[in-house]
Amino acid sequence: MRIAFYSTKPYDRIWFAPLAADYGFEISFIELPCKKETLGLAQGYDAICIFVNDYMDKEMIDCLHTMGVKAILLRSAGFNHVDVRAAQGKLEILRVPSYSPEAVAEFAVTLLLAVNRHIHKAYARTRDFNMSLNGLMGMDLNQKVAGVVGTGKIGQAMIRILQGFGMQILAYDPFPIEGLKVEYVPLEELFRRSDVISLHCPLTAETKNLINRESIAMMKEGVYLINTSRGGLIDSDALIEGLLQKKFGGVGLDVYDEEEGIFYEDCSEDIIEDENLARLMTFPNVIITSHMGFFTMEAMQAIANKTLENAYALERGLPLVNRVQAVVPV
Ligand code: NAD
């Protein structure tokens, strides 16, 4: 199998190159993102392999189909960036449904702890020998209420960790897990009662802008909001308004609605045109990271394993257990 591997970073080669050699696959590592302008690079390949910010619309899917590409291998669990419906009957879409839920959950907790205890500010201060504690007071998590939106694999890992802190857990999921030791409540109640809200649901038509003016208005004063799922879950304008009204104790964002083309790139010499992102960066109680919740050795190894297992199943005509169909993304 010949695979055109888009958006390659040095760490992708480390995990994928030796494994691909074991399978006998020929991978062409392309540093460019997958866009209309770069799609021609997939000519002559059996599959393309893409990451979370490689958006794939109907026109691109039709183009790949015409070129004879048979599959899109996603190096991710989320598939909101691909027009799944357009690919139906033309290309297989295979994803990595689970690689390390703990990696993302542990990162969500990292964001929460960092923003709550002002680690980002304390680190900078002490390096300058400013040992003052003014403005660095946090809150205990013990006995506080955490609202977890989405109790799938990552949400459940998050719940286990937060319970370890002694937090009371409220949860919302349209498909509750039987026997899970949490209090499932309607979403509005979760917004009203939680001291910490962490998002672990996929981005779909239903969850787009789940965090908006109305939902923010329902939240407690001083609430902490953590998003490691998808940027589109939050209406950035509403979030900025809420921050300006001092609604939030802290906000941790590993994802951003318009992250494509910025996240994963070194833009330190660029003029940032996205005004919302630039504004969000200015709040002292907001920490933004570059979609790196997944980024552990264990997760990278698992992503490489699963992606190439999917390719192997496709090549050999084996059952495609990680095929994406049904759910229609945004
Ligand atoms: P999962 O499929 O195991 O769980 C998702 C859960 O969300 C399911 O229980 C589902 O019923 C629930 N859900 C669906 N619609 C909902 C709604 N309207 N409201 C509340 N819950 C809803 O997925 P997962 O592996 O736990 O991943 C969750 C999300 O995390 C992914 O969709 C992806 O966007 C994100 N993610 C981020 C990173 C990162 O690096 N930051 C890495 C992996 C995954």
Side-chain angles (χ1 to χ4, degrees), residues 51-52 76-80 95-101 103-104 107 148-156 172-177 184 187 199-204 206-207 210 227-231 233 254-255 264 290-295 303:
F51 200 42
V52 289
S76 61
F79 49 88
N80 56 284
R95 68 174 181 136
V96 182
S98 173
Y99 36 93
S100 173
V104 185
F107 193 79
V148 175
V149 181
T151 55
K153 292 175 286 294
I154 297 171
Q156 287 179 53
Y172 171 75
D173 194 306
F175 305 99
I177 308 286
Y184 276 107
L187 198 51
L199 307 179
H200 299 288
C201 56
L203 177 61
T204 63
E206 195 194 335
T207 60
L210 186 79
N227 186 11
T228 55
S229 279
R230 286 293 180 268
L233 297 177
D254 186 43
V255 286
Y264 302 130
S290 187
H291 204 146
M292 59 180 288
F294 72 99
F295 202 43
I303 290 170

